[in-house]
Amino acid sequence: MAFVVEYLFIFLGGALGALSRFGVQEACRKWTSIPGWAAIFIVNVLGSFIIGFCVAWLSEMQDSFHLDLMTPVHRFLETQAAKDGVALLAVGFCGAFTTLSSFSLDNQFLYCENRWFLAYNMVGSVLLCLAAVLGGWSLGHSLAV
């Protein structure tokens, strides 16, 4: 049952995140002279801040429960609450608000664990993703003509 609940939280968070991204972009377009790419830049920075805050906050909350003093039922409920919070806020909301937030969180973990992989992930992802967009663009253009 917890598996289904986790997926529902991801679904709900994802819907709210996508709508929020669209709302920020529309607000920037409607009320400012910020170009579209800059609105996405703002979303990426804001989403990265939110995912960092949520994961750190939920992790600390889970660690502050003193799980060794709890009954098994309380332990399950408390850890499940933190897990559901990560599903709703980090995976669902932030993942749909901006996937760059997930990329940035992974890079934070790599910064702490293996800085060589951090450099590889950052440079490799940006270059390979740009190459993939160019390849997809070229293929899409050639098939449309």
Side-chain angles (χ1 to χ4, degrees), residues 9-101:
F9 277 125
I10 293 169
F11 175 77
L12 177 62
L16 294 173
L19 289 170
S20 296
R21 180 184 64 240
F22 181 75
V24 169
Q25 288 176 281
E26 284 298 298
C28 286
R29 183 190 61 75
K30 190 174 189 178
W31 296 314
T32 72
S33 59
I34 295 175
W37 67 265
I40 293 298
F41 179 82
I42 291 168
V43 164
N44 287 336
V45 173
L46 183 58
S48 295
F49 175 82
I50 292 170
I51 201 170
F53 173 82
C54 289
V55 170
W57 179 60
L58 290 165
S59 296
E60 286 298 319
M61 270 186 32
Q62 185 170 336
D63 289 343
S64 69
F65 289 140
H66 303 292
L67 297 177
D68 54 330
L69 303 175
M70 292 184 172
T71 65
V73 172
H74 283 100
R75 185 177 303 141
F76 172 78
L77 291 174
E78 295 296 346
T79 57
Q80 192 61 41
K83 185 177 176 187
D84 289 344
V86 169
L88 176 70
L89 299 171
V91 178
F93 180 83
C94 290
F97 187 58
T98 168
T99 55
L100 189 64
S101 65

Coordinates of all heavy atoms in Angstrom, one line a residue, residues 9-101:
F9 N 1.8 10.4 -4.4 CA 2.4 11.7 -4.0 C 3.3 12.2 -5.1 O 3.4 13.4 -5.4 CB 3.3 11.4 -2.7 CG 2.5 11.5 -1.5 CD1 2.5 10.5 -0.6 CD2 1.8 12.7 -1.2 CE1 1.8 10.6 0.6 CE2 1.0 12.8 0.0 CZ 1.1 11.7 0.9
I10 N 4.0 11.3 -5.8 CA 4.8 11.8 -7.0 C 3.9 12.4 -8.0 O 4.2 13.4 -8.6 CB 5.7 10.6 -7.5 CG1 6.7 10.2 -6.5 CG2 6.3 11.0 -8.8 CD1 7.5 8.9 -6.8
F11 N 2.8 11.7 -8.3 CA 1.9 12.2 -9.3 C 1.3 13.6 -8.9 O 1.3 14.5 -9.8 CB 0.7 11.2 -9.5 CG -0.4 11.6 -10.4 CD1 -0.2 11.6 -11.7 CD2 -1.6 12.1 -9.9 CE1 -1.2 12.0 -12.6 CE2 -2.6 12.5 -10.7 CZ -2.4 12.5 -12.1
L12 N 0.9 13.7 -7.7 CA 0.4 15.0 -7.2 C 1.4 16.1 -7.3 O 1.2 17.2 -7.8 CB -0.2 14.9 -5.8 CG -0.8 16.1 -5.2 CD1 -1.9 16.7 -6.0 CD2 -1.2 15.8 -3.7
G13 N 2.6 15.8 -6.7 CA 3.7 16.8 -6.7 C 4.1 17.2 -8.1 O 4.4 18.3 -8.4
G14 N 4.1 16.2 -9.0 CA 4.5 16.4 -10.4 C 3.5 17.4 -11.1 O 3.9 18.3 -11.8
A15 N 2.2 17.1 -10.9 CA 1.2 18.0 -11.4 C 1.4 19.4 -10.9 O 1.3 20.4 -11.7 CB -0.2 17.5 -11.1
L16 N 1.6 19.6 -9.6 CA 1.7 20.9 -9.0 C 3.0 21.6 -9.5 O 3.0 22.8 -9.8 CB 1.7 20.8 -7.5 CG 0.4 20.4 -6.9 CD1 0.5 20.2 -5.4 CD2 -0.7 21.4 -7.2
G17 N 4.1 20.8 -9.7 CA 5.3 21.4 -10.1 C 5.3 21.8 -11.6 O 5.7 22.9 -11.9
A18 N 4.6 21.1 -12.4 CA 4.5 21.5 -13.8 C 3.6 22.7 -14.0 O 4.0 23.6 -14.7 CB 3.9 20.3 -14.7
L19 N 2.5 22.8 -13.2 CA 1.7 23.9 -13.2 C 2.4 25.2 -12.7 O 2.2 26.3 -13.2 CB 0.4 23.7 -12.5 CG -0.6 22.7 -13.1 CD1 -1.7 22.3 -12.1 CD2 -1.2 23.3 -14.4
S20 N 3.2 25.0 -11.7 CA 4.0 26.1 -11.1 C 5.0 26.6 -12.1 O 5.2 27.8 -12.2 CB 4.6 25.6 -9.8 OG 3.7 25.3 -8.8
R21 N 5.7 25.7 -12.8 CA 6.7 26.1 -13.8 C 6.0 27.0 -14.8 O 6.4 28.1 -15.2 CB 7.4 25.0 -14.4 CG 8.4 25.4 -15.4 CD 9.1 24.2 -16.2 NE 8.1 23.5 -17.0 CZ 7.8 22.2 -16.8 NH1 8.5 21.5 -15.9 NH2 6.9 21.6 -17.5
F22 N 4.8 26.5 -15.3 CA 4.1 27.2 -16.3 C 3.6 28.6 -15.8 O 3.7 29.6 -16.5 CB 2.9 26.4 -16.8 CG 2.1 27.1 -17.8 CD1 2.5 27.2 -19.1 CD2 0.9 27.7 -17.5 CE1 1.8 27.8 -20.1 CE2 0.1 28.3 -18.5 CZ 0.6 28.4 -19.8
G23 N 3.2 28.6 -14.5 CA 2.8 29.8 -13.9 C 3.9 30.9 -13.8 O 3.7 32.0 -14.1
V24 N 5.1 30.4 -13.4 CA 6.2 31.3 -13.3 C 6.6 31.9 -14.7 O 6.8 33.1 -14.9 CB 7.4 30.6 -12.6 CG1 8.7 31.5 -12.8 CG2 7.2 30.3 -11.2
Q25 N 6.6 31.0 -15.7 CA 6.9 31.4 -17.0 C 5.9 32.4 -17.5 O 6.2 33.5 -18.1 CB 7.0 30.2 -18.0 CG 8.2 29.4 -17.8 CD 8.1 28.1 -18.7 OE1 7.4 27.2 -18.4 NE2 8.9 28.2 -19.8
E26 N 4.6 32.2 -17.3 CA 3.6 33.1 -17.7 C 3.6 34.4 -17.0 O 3.4 35.4 -17.6 CB 2.2 32.4 -17.6 CG 1.9 31.4 -18.7 CD 1.9 32.0 -20.0 OE1 1.0 32.9 -20.3 OE2 2.7 31.6 -20.9
A27 N 3.9 34.4 -15.7 CA 4.0 35.6 -14.9 C 5.1 36.4 -15.4 O 5.0 37.7 -15.6 CB 4.2 35.3 -13.4
C28 N 6.3 35.8 -15.7 CA 7.4 36.5 -16.3 C 7.1 37.1 -17.6 O 7.4 38.3 -17.9 CB 8.7 35.6 -16.3 SG 9.4 35.3 -14.8
R29 N 6.4 36.4 -18.4 CA 6.1 36.9 -19.8 C 5.1 38.0 -19.7 O 5.2 39.0 -20.4 CB 5.5 35.7 -20.6 CG 5.1 36.1 -22.1 CD 4.3 35.0 -22.8 NE 3.1 34.7 -22.2 CZ 2.0 35.5 -22.3 NH1 2.0 36.6 -22.9 NH2 0.8 35.1 -21.7
K30 N 4.1 37.9 -18.8 CA 3.0 38.8 -18.7 C 3.4 40.1 -18.0 O 3.0 41.2 -18.4 CB 1.8 38.2 -18.0 CG 0.6 38.9 -18.0 CD -0.5 38.1 -17.4 CE -1.9 38.7 -17.6 NZ -3.0 37.9 -17.0
W31 N 4.2 40.0 -16.9 CA 4.4 41.2 -16.1 C 5.8 41.7 -16.1 O 6.1 42.7 -15.4 CB 4.0 40.9 -14.7 CG 2.6 40.6 -14.5 CD1 1.5 41.3 -15.0 CD2 2.0 39.5 -13.8 NE1 0.3 40.8 -14.7 CE2 0.6 39.7 -13.9 CE3 2.5 38.5 -13.1 CZ2 -0.3 38.8 -13.4 CZ3 1.6 37.6 -12.5 CH2 0.2 37.8 -12.6
T32 N 6.7 41.1 -16.9 CA 8.1 41.6 -17.0 C 8.5 41.5 -18.4 O 7.8 41.0 -19.3 CB 9.1 40.7 -16.1 OG1 9.3 39.5 -16.7 CG2 8.6 40.5 -14.7
S33 N 9.7 42.1 -18.6 CA 10.3 42.0 -20.0 C 11.4 40.9 -20.0 O 12.2 40.9 -20.9 CB 10.9 43.3 -20.4 OG 11.9 43.7 -19.4
I34 N 11.4 40.0 -19.1 CA 12.4 38.9 -19.0 C 12.1 38.0 -20.2 O 11.0 37.5 -20.4 CB 12.2 38.2 -17.7 CG1 12.6 39.1 -16.5 CG2 13.1 36.9 -17.7 CD1 12.4 38.4 -15.1
P35 N 13.2 37.6 -20.9 CA 13.0 36.7 -22.0 C 12.7 35.3 -21.5 O 13.0 35.0 -20.3 CB 14.3 36.7 -22.8 CG 15.3 37.3 -21.8 CD 14.5 38.2 -20.8
G36 N 12.2 34.4 -22.3 CA 11.8 33.1 -21.9 C 12.9 32.3 -21.3 O 12.7 31.6 -20.3
W37 N 14.1 32.4 -21.9 CA 15.2 31.6 -21.3 C 15.5 32.0 -19.9 O 15.9 31.2 -19.1 CB 16.4 31.6 -22.3 CG 17.1 33.0 -22.3 CD1 16.8 34.0 -23.3 CD2 18.0 33.6 -21.4 NE1 17.6 35.1 -23.0 CE2 18.3 34.9 -21.9 CE3 18.6 33.1 -20.3 CZ2 19.2 35.7 -21.2 CZ3 19.5 34.0 -19.6 CH2 19.8 35.2 -20.1
A38 N 15.4 33.3 -19.6 CA 15.7 33.8 -18.3 C 14.6 33.4 -17.3 O 14.9 33.1 -16.1 CB 15.8 35.4 -18.3
A39 N 13.4 33.3 -17.7 CA 12.3 32.7 -16.9 C 12.7 31.3 -16.5 O 12.5 30.9 -15.3 CB 11.0 32.8 -17.5
I40 N 13.1 30.5 -17.4 CA 13.6 29.1 -17.1 C 14.8 29.1 -16.2 O 14.9 28.3 -15.3 CB 13.8 28.4 -18.4 CG1 12.6 28.2 -19.2 CG2 14.5 27.0 -18.2 CD1 11.5 27.3 -18.5
F41 N 15.7 30.1 -16.4 CA 16.8 30.2 -15.5 C 16.4 30.4 -14.1 O 16.9 29.8 -13.1 CB 17.7 31.4 -16.0 CG 18.9 31.6 -15.2 CD1 20.1 30.8 -15.3 CD2 18.9 32.6 -14.2 CE1 21.2 31.1 -14.6 CE2 20.0 32.8 -13.4 CZ 21.2 32.1 -13.6
I42 N 15.4 31.3 -13.9 CA 14.8 31.6 -12.6 C 14.2 30.4 -12.0 O 14.4 30.0 -10.8 CB 13.8 32.8 -12.6 CG1 14.6 34.1 -13.0 CG2 13.0 32.9 -11.3 CD1 13.6 35.2 -13.3
V43 N 13.4 29.6 -12.8 CA 12.8 28.4 -12.3 C 13.9 27.4 -11.9 O 13.7 26.7 -10.9 CB 11.9 27.8 -13.4 CG1 11.5 26.4 -13.2 CG2 10.6 28.7 -13.6
N44 N 14.9 27.3 -12.7 CA 16.0 26.3 -12.4 C 16.7 26.6 -11.0 O 16.9 25.7 -10.2 CB 17.0 26.2 -13.5 CG 16.5 25.5 -14.7 OD1 15.6 24.7 -14.7 ND2 17.1 25.8 -15.9
V45 N 17.0 27.9 -10.8 CA 17.6 28.3 -9.6 C 16.7 28.1 -8.4 O 17.0 27.5 -7.4 CB 18.1 29.7 -9.6 CG1 18.6 30.2 -8.3 CG2 19.2 29.9 -10.7
L46 N 15.4 28.5 -8.5 CA 14.4 28.4 -7.5 C 14.2 26.9 -7.2 O 14.1 26.5 -6.0 CB 13.1 29.1 -7.9 CG 12.0 29.1 -6.9 CD1 12.5 29.8 -5.6 CD2 10.8 29.8 -7.4
G47 N 14.0 26.1 -8.2 CA 13.8 24.7 -8.0 C 14.9 24.0 -7.3 O 14.8 23.1 -6.5
S48 N 16.2 24.4 -7.7 CA 17.3 23.8 -7.0 C 17.4 24.2 -5.6 O 17.8 23.3 -4.7 CB 18.6 24.3 -7.8 OG 18.6 23.8 -9.1
F49 N 17.0 25.4 -5.2 CA 17.0 25.8 -3.8 C 15.9 25.0 -3.1 O 16.2 24.5 -2.0 CB 16.7 27.3 -3.7 CG 16.5 27.7 -2.3 CD1 17.6 28.0 -1.5 CD2 15.2 27.9 -1.7 CE1 17.5 28.4 -0.2 CE2 15.1 28.2 -0.4 CZ 16.2 28.5 0.4
I50 N 14.8 24.9 -3.7 CA 13.7 24.1 -3.0 C 14.0 22.7 -2.8 O 13.8 22.1 -1.7 CB 12.3 24.3 -3.8 CG1 11.8 25.7 -3.8 CG2 11.3 23.3 -3.3 CD1 10.7 26.0 -4.8
I51 N 14.6 22.0 -3.8 CA 14.9 20.6 -3.6 C 16.0 20.4 -2.6 O 16.0 19.5 -1.8 CB 15.3 19.9 -5.0 CG1 15.1 18.4 -4.8 CG2 16.7 20.3 -5.4 CD1 15.2 17.7 -6.2
G52 N 17.0 21.3 -2.5 CA 18.0 21.2 -1.5 C 17.5 21.4 -0.1 O 17.8 20.6 0.8
F53 N 16.6 22.4 0.0 CA 15.9 22.6 1.3 C 15.1 21.4 1.7 O 15.2 21.0 2.9 CB 15.1 23.9 1.2 CG 14.2 24.1 2.5 CD1 14.8 24.7 3.6 CD2 12.9 23.7 2.5 CE1 14.0 24.9 4.7 CE2 12.1 23.8 3.7 CZ 12.7 24.5 4.8
C54 N 14.2 21.0 0.8 CA 13.3 19.9 1.2 C 14.1 18.6 1.6 O 13.7 18.0 2.6 CB 12.4 19.6 0.0 SG 11.2 20.9 -0.3
V55 N 15.1 18.2 0.8 CA 15.8 17.0 1.1 C 16.5 17.1 2.4 O 16.5 16.2 3.3 CB 16.7 16.5 -0.1 CG1 17.6 15.4 0.3 CG2 15.8 16.2 -1.3
A56 N 17.2 18.2 2.6 CA 17.9 18.4 3.9 C 17.0 18.5 5.1 O 17.2 17.8 6.1 CB 18.7 19.7 3.8
W57 N 15.9 19.2 4.9 CA 14.9 19.3 6.0 C 14.3 18.0 6.4 O 14.2 17.6 7.5 CB 13.8 20.4 5.6 CG 12.8 20.6 6.6 CD1 12.9 21.0 7.9 CD2 11.4 20.4 6.4 NE1 11.6 21.1 8.5 CE2 10.7 20.7 7.6 CE3 10.6 19.9 5.3 CZ2 9.3 20.6 7.7 CZ3 9.2 19.9 5.4 CH2 8.6 20.2 6.6
L58 N 13.8 17.3 5.3 CA 13.2 16.0 5.6 C 14.2 14.9 6.1 O 13.8 14.1 7.0 CB 12.5 15.4 4.3 CG 11.3 16.2 3.9 CD1 10.9 15.9 2.4 CD2 10.1 16.0 4.8
S59 N 15.4 15.0 5.7 CA 16.4 14.1 6.2 C 16.7 14.4 7.7 O 16.8 13.5 8.5 CB 17.7 14.2 5.5 OG 17.6 13.8 4.1
E60 N 16.8 15.7 8.0 CA 17.0 16.0 9.4 C 15.8 15.7 10.3 O 16.0 15.2 11.4 CB 17.3 17.5 9.6 CG 18.7 17.9 9.1 CD 19.8 17.3 9.9 OE1 19.7 17.2 11.2 OE2 20.8 16.8 9.3
M61 N 14.6 15.9 9.8 CA 13.4 15.5 10.5 C 13.4 14.0 10.8 O 13.1 13.6 11.9 CB 12.1 15.8 9.7 CG 11.6 17.2 9.9 SD 10.0 17.5 9.1 CE 9.2 15.9 9.1
Q62 N 13.8 13.2 9.8 CA 13.8 11.8 10.0 C 14.9 11.4 11.0 O 14.7 10.5 11.9 CB 14.1 11.0 8.7 CG 14.0 9.5 8.8 CD 14.0 8.9 7.5 OE1 13.7 9.5 6.4 NE2 14.5 7.6 7.4
D63 N 16.0 12.0 11.0 CA 17.1 11.7 11.9 C 16.8 12.2 13.3 O 17.2 11.6 14.3 CB 18.4 12.4 11.5 CG 19.0 11.7 10.3 OD1 18.6 10.5 10.0 OD2 19.9 12.3 9.6
S64 N 15.9 13.2 13.5 CA 15.6 13.7 14.8 C 14.5 12.9 15.5 O 14.1 13.2 16.6 CB 15.2 15.2 14.7 OG 13.9 15.3 14.0
F65 N 14.0 11.9 14.8 CA 12.9 11.1 15.4 C 13.4 10.2 16.5 O 12.6 9.6 17.2 CB 12.2 10.3 14.3 CG 11.3 11.1 13.4 CD1 11.3 10.8 12.1 CD2 10.6 12.1 13.9 CE1 10.5 11.5 11.2 CE2 9.8 12.9 13.0 CZ 9.8 12.6 11.6
H66 N 14.7 10.0 16.6 CA 15.2 9.0 17.6 C 14.6 7.7 17.4 O 13.9 7.2 18.3 CB 15.1 9.6 19.0 CG 15.7 10.9 19.2 ND1 17.1 11.1 19.2 CD2 15.1 12.1 19.4 CE1 17.3 12.4 19.4 NE2 16.2 13.0 19.5
L67 N 14.8 7.1 16.3 CA 14.1 5.9 15.9 C 14.3 4.7 16.9 O 13.5 3.8 17.0 CB 14.5 5.5 14.5 CG 14.1 6.5 13.4 CD1 14.6 6.0 12.0 CD2 12.6 6.7 13.3
D68 N 15.5 4.7 17.5 CA 15.7 3.6 18.4 C 14.8 3.6 19.6 O 14.6 2.6 20.3 CB 17.2 3.7 18.9 CG 17.5 5.0 19.5 OD1 17.0 6.0 19.1 OD2 18.4 5.0 20.4
L69 N 14.1 4.7 20.0 CA 13.2 4.8 21.1 C 11.8 4.5 20.7 O 10.9 4.5 21.6 CB 13.3 6.2 21.8 CG 14.7 6.6 22.2 CD1 14.7 8.0 22.7 CD2 15.3 5.6 23.3
M70 N 11.5 4.3 19.5 CA 10.1 4.2 19.0 C 9.7 2.7 18.9 O 10.6 1.8 18.6 CB 9.9 4.8 17.7 CG 10.1 6.3 17.7 SD 9.7 6.9 16.0 CE 9.6 8.6 16.3
T71 N 8.5 2.5 19.0 CA 7.9 1.1 18.7 C 8.0 0.9 17.2 O 8.1 1.9 16.4 CB 6.4 1.0 19.1 OG1 5.7 1.9 18.3 CG2 6.3 1.3 20.6
P72 N 8.0 -0.3 16.7 CA 8.1 -0.5 15.2 C 7.0 0.2 14.4 O 7.2 0.7 13.3 CB 7.9 -2.1 15.1 CG 8.4 -2.6 16.4 CD 8.1 -1.6 17.4
V73 N 5.8 0.3 15.0 CA 4.7 1.0 14.3 C 5.0 2.5 14.1 O 4.9 3.0 13.1 CB 3.3 0.8 15.0 CG1 2.3 1.6 14.4 CG2 3.0 -0.7 15.0
H74 N 5.4 3.1 15.2 CA 5.8 4.5 15.2 C 7.0 4.7 14.2 O 7.0 5.7 13.5 CB 6.1 5.0 16.6 CG 4.9 5.3 17.4 ND1 4.5 4.4 18.4 CD2 4.0 6.3 17.4 CE1 3.4 4.9 18.9 NE2 3.1 6.0 18.3
R75 N 8.0 3.9 14.3 CA 9.1 4.0 13.4 C 8.7 3.9 11.9 O 9.1 4.8 11.1 CB 10.1 2.8 13.7 CG 11.4 3.0 12.9 CD 12.4 1.9 13.3 NE 12.7 1.9 14.7 CZ 12.8 0.8 15.4 NH1 12.8 -0.4 14.9 NH2 13.1 0.9 16.7
F76 N 7.8 3.0 11.6 CA 7.3 2.9 10.2 C 6.6 4.2 9.8 O 6.8 4.7 8.7 CB 6.4 1.7 10.0 CG 5.7 1.7 8.7 CD1 6.4 1.3 7.6 CD2 4.4 2.1 8.5 CE1 5.8 1.3 6.3 CE2 3.8 2.1 7.3 CZ 4.5 1.7 6.2
L77 N 5.7 4.7 10.7 CA 4.9 5.9 10.3 C 5.8 7.1 10.2 O 5.6 7.9 9.3 CB 3.9 6.1 11.4 CG 2.7 5.1 11.4 CD1 1.8 5.4 12.6 CD2 1.9 5.1 10.1
E78 N 6.8 7.3 11.0 CA 7.6 8.4 11.0 C 8.5 8.4 9.7 O 8.7 9.4 9.0 CB 8.5 8.6 12.2 CG 7.6 8.8 13.5 CD 6.9 10.2 13.4 OE1 7.2 11.0 12.6 OE2 6.0 10.3 14.3
T79 N 9.1 7.2 9.5 CA 10.0 7.1 8.3 C 9.2 7.2 7.0 O 9.6 7.8 6.0 CB 10.9 5.9 8.3 OG1 10.0 4.7 8.4 CG2 11.9 5.9 9.4
Q80 N 8.0 6.7 7.0 CA 7.1 6.8 5.9 C 6.8 8.2 5.6 O 6.7 8.6 4.4 CB 5.9 5.9 6.0 CG 5.1 5.7 4.8 CD 5.9 5.0 3.7 OE1 6.6 4.1 4.0 NE2 5.8 5.5 2.5
A81 N 6.5 9.0 6.6 CA 6.2 10.4 6.4 C 7.3 11.2 5.7 O 7.1 11.9 4.8 CB 5.8 11.1 7.8
A82 N 8.5 10.9 6.1 CA 9.7 11.6 5.5 C 9.8 11.1 4.1 O 10.1 11.9 3.1 CB 10.9 11.3 6.3
K83 N 9.6 9.8 3.8 CA 9.7 9.2 2.5 C 8.6 9.8 1.6 O 8.9 10.2 0.4 CB 9.6 7.7 2.6 CG 9.8 7.0 1.3 CD 9.7 5.5 1.5 CE 9.8 4.7 0.2 NZ 9.5 3.3 0.3
D84 N 7.4 9.9 2.1 CA 6.3 10.5 1.3 C 6.6 12.0 1.1 O 6.2 12.5 0.0 CB 5.0 10.4 2.1 CG 4.5 8.9 2.1 OD1 5.0 8.1 1.3 OD2 3.6 8.7 2.9
G85 N 7.2 12.7 2.0 CA 7.6 14.1 1.8 C 8.6 14.2 0.7 O 8.5 15.1 -0.2
V86 N 9.6 13.3 0.6 CA 10.5 13.3 -0.5 C 9.8 13.0 -1.8 O 10.1 13.7 -2.8 CB 11.7 12.4 -0.2 CG1 12.6 12.2 -1.4 CG2 12.5 12.8 1.0
A87 N 8.9 12.1 -1.8 CA 8.2 11.7 -3.0 C 7.4 12.9 -3.5 O 7.4 13.2 -4.7 CB 7.3 10.5 -2.8
L88 N 6.7 13.6 -2.6 CA 5.8 14.7 -3.0 C 6.6 15.9 -3.4 O 6.4 16.5 -4.5 CB 4.9 15.1 -1.8 CG 4.0 16.3 -2.0 CD1 2.9 16.0 -3.1 CD2 3.4 16.7 -0.7
L89 N 7.6 16.3 -2.6 CA 8.3 17.6 -2.8 C 9.5 17.5 -3.7 O 9.6 18.3 -4.6 CB 8.7 18.2 -1.4 CG 7.5 18.5 -0.4 CD1 8.1 18.8 0.9 CD2 6.7 19.6 -1.0
A90 N 10.4 16.6 -3.4 CA 11.6 16.5 -4.2 C 11.4 15.8 -5.5 O 11.7 16.4 -6.6 CB 12.7 15.8 -3.4
V91 N 10.9 14.6 -5.5 CA 10.7 13.8 -6.8 C 9.6 14.4 -7.6 O 9.8 14.7 -8.8 CB 10.5 12.3 -6.5 CG1 10.3 11.6 -7.8 CG2 11.7 11.7 -5.7
G92 N 8.4 14.6 -7.0 CA 7.3 15.1 -7.7 C 7.3 16.5 -8.1 O 7.5 16.9 -9.2
F93 N 7.2 17.4 -7.1 CA 7.1 18.8 -7.3 C 8.4 19.4 -8.0 O 8.3 20.0 -9.1 CB 6.8 19.6 -6.0 CG 6.7 21.1 -6.3 CD1 5.6 21.7 -6.7 CD2 7.8 21.9 -6.1 CE1 5.5 23.0 -7.0 CE2 7.8 23.3 -6.4 CZ 6.6 23.8 -6.8
C94 N 9.5 19.2 -7.4 CA 10.8 19.8 -7.9 C 11.2 19.1 -9.2 O 11.6 19.8 -10.2 CB 11.9 19.7 -6.9 SG 11.7 20.8 -5.5
G95 N 10.9 17.8 -9.3 CA 11.2 17.1 -10.6 C 10.5 17.6 -11.8 O 11.0 17.7 -12.9
A96 N 9.2 18.0 -11.5 CA 8.4 18.5 -12.6 C 8.6 20.0 -12.8 O 8.4 20.6 -13.9 CB 6.9 18.2 -12.4
F97 N 8.8 20.7 -11.7 CA 9.1 22.2 -11.7 C 10.3 22.4 -12.6 O 10.3 23.3 -13.4 CB 9.2 22.7 -10.3 CG 9.3 24.2 -10.2 CD1 8.3 25.0 -10.7 CD2 10.4 24.8 -9.6 CE1 8.3 26.4 -10.5 CE2 10.4 26.2 -9.4 CZ 9.4 27.0 -9.9
T98 N 11.4 21.7 -12.3 CA 12.6 21.8 -13.1 C 13.4 20.5 -12.9 O 13.8 20.2 -11.8 CB 13.4 23.0 -12.7 OG1 14.7 22.9 -13.3 CG2 13.5 23.2 -11.3
T99 N 13.7 19.8 -14.0 CA 14.6 18.6 -13.8 C 16.0 19.0 -13.5 O 16.8 18.2 -13.0 CB 14.6 17.7 -15.1 OG1 14.9 18.5 -16.2 CG2 13.2 17.1 -15.3
L100 N 16.4 20.3 -13.7 CA 17.7 20.7 -13.3 C 17.9 20.6 -11.8 O 19.0 20.4 -11.3 CB 18.0 22.1 -13.9 CG 19.4 22.6 -13.7 CD1 20.4 21.7 -14.5 CD2 19.6 24.0 -14.1
S101 N 16.8 20.7 -11.1 CA 16.9 20.6 -9.6 C 17.4 19.2 -9.2 O 18.2 19.1 -8.3 CB 15.6 21.0 -8.9 OG 14.6 20.1 -9.2

